[in-house]
Amino acid sequence: MSGDAGPEEVLDGLSRHARKLVAELAGPVRRVRLRSGETVLEVEWHDPARPAPAPRADVDPVPAPRVEAAAPVADRPAVRAPVVGTFYRSPEPGAAPFVAVGDVVRPGQVVGIVEAMKLMNEVTAGQAGRVVEVLVEDGKPVEYDQPLIALEPLTGRDG
């Protein structure tokens, strides 16, 4: 998709791709997630027990799903996932998180862990900044390059 497209156009394109993908898949589909840059389209059907009807040429193959578009991290720097896996905010269960909202991080500072294939991969800040939002809940799956922690660049007064 074009880098010049606005959020609505990107979402429309993702919706078209989701419909096409679901129509081409064999068997019932419960969940589809597509991503283009910072825009994510996730579609989930809440009745997996009912089989999906066979696609018909005269009918749109995708029922009216609930669609949620994740808000992009608008021009804010973010610490991103280095690999696909499970994100953890602390070094072990019950321990304090590596960082919290309001903390100042420095380049190379560990801010989380992504577990992939039983390997713990440190997530480090690529630049200095103040943590303004933790974008992923502890223990949730993440994709490669997914924003995990939003940062606000430091100003001279931040030290």
Side-chain angles (χ1 to χ4, degrees), residues 11 48 59 63 77 83 95 97 114 118 120 123-124 133 138 140 148 158:
L11 191 56
V59 178
V83 294
V114 174
K118 303 293 181 192
M120 299 299 176
V123 178
T124 58
E133 185 177 2
D138 190 54
K140 295 295 182 181
L148 304 173
D158 293 318

Side-chain angles (χ1 to χ4, degrees), residues 6-63:
E8 295 292 324
E9 293 158 328
V10 172
L11 191 56
D12 287 344
L14 286 173
S15 296
R16 283 191 304 276
H17 286 299
R19 283 198 249 1
K20 182 178 178 189
L21 178 65
V22 170
E24 293 174 354
L25 293 174
V29 177
R30 182 168 184 265
R31 185 176 188 177
V32 173
R33 180 180 176 144
L34 299 173
R35 178 176 170 181
S36 178
E38 296 294 328
T39 303
V40 176
L41 171 69
E42 190 166 325
V43 182
E44 184 171 345
W45 291 265
H46 292 282
D47 188 9
R50 190 177 68 192
R56 293 177 21 198
D58 62 331
V59 178
D60 186 354
V62 177

Side-chain angles (χ1 to χ4, degrees), residues 95-109:
F98 288 104
V99 296
V101 172
D103 289 354
V104 172
V105 298
R106 302 285 175 215
Q109 179 178 339

